[in-house]
Amino acid sequence: MHYHSVVIMFRNNESGRHHLIVCVCNGLRDRDVLAAARSERSICPRRAYARLGAEPQCGQCLDHAEELIVHDQADALVGAD
């Protein structure tokens, strides 16, 4: 059986910004996962999800969530120079 991750974007009408749903099962947005990962000082999406009071259900989001977190932390390191 093959699974494919799903990426959902929506636009916040108030801010006009686009947000990415990282975990469909838990309804977790990219900005929330990234903020939780920063708080945990970890690249582990499971720890970020736990910080948000959630846990992976189907697991299809974990690779993408980790990629987002790694890129975010790399960007933060570059910006710190």
Side-chain angles (χ1 to χ4, degrees):
M1 186 182 314
H2 295 279
Y3 293 99
H4 301 283
S5 59
V6 175
V7 175
I8 298 175
M9 286 187 91
F10 67 93
R11 183 176 180 175
N12 182 326
N13 288 333
E14 292 178 17
S15 68
R17 294 177 48 194
H18 287 88
H19 300 286
L20 176 72
I21 299 291
V22 175
C23 176
V24 175
C25 297
N26 290 299
L28 301 179
R29 295 179 292 186
D30 57 345
R31 68 180 183 174
D32 299 326
V33 171
L34 292 174
R38 288 181 202 124
S39 294
E40 287 293 316
R41 297 178 185 217
S42 173
I43 62 167
C44 177
R46 290 179 186 275
R47 287 183 65 182
Y49 286 22
R51 177 98 175 166
L52 296 168
E55 61 182 47
Q57 302 299 310
C58 73
Q60 295 303 302
C61 57
L62 294 175
D63 288 340
H64 182 70
E66 184 175 6
E67 186 177 325
L68 283 173
I69 294 167
V70 167
H71 284 294
D72 180 66
Q73 291 189 4
D75 289 345
L77 287 175
V78 169
D81 288 340

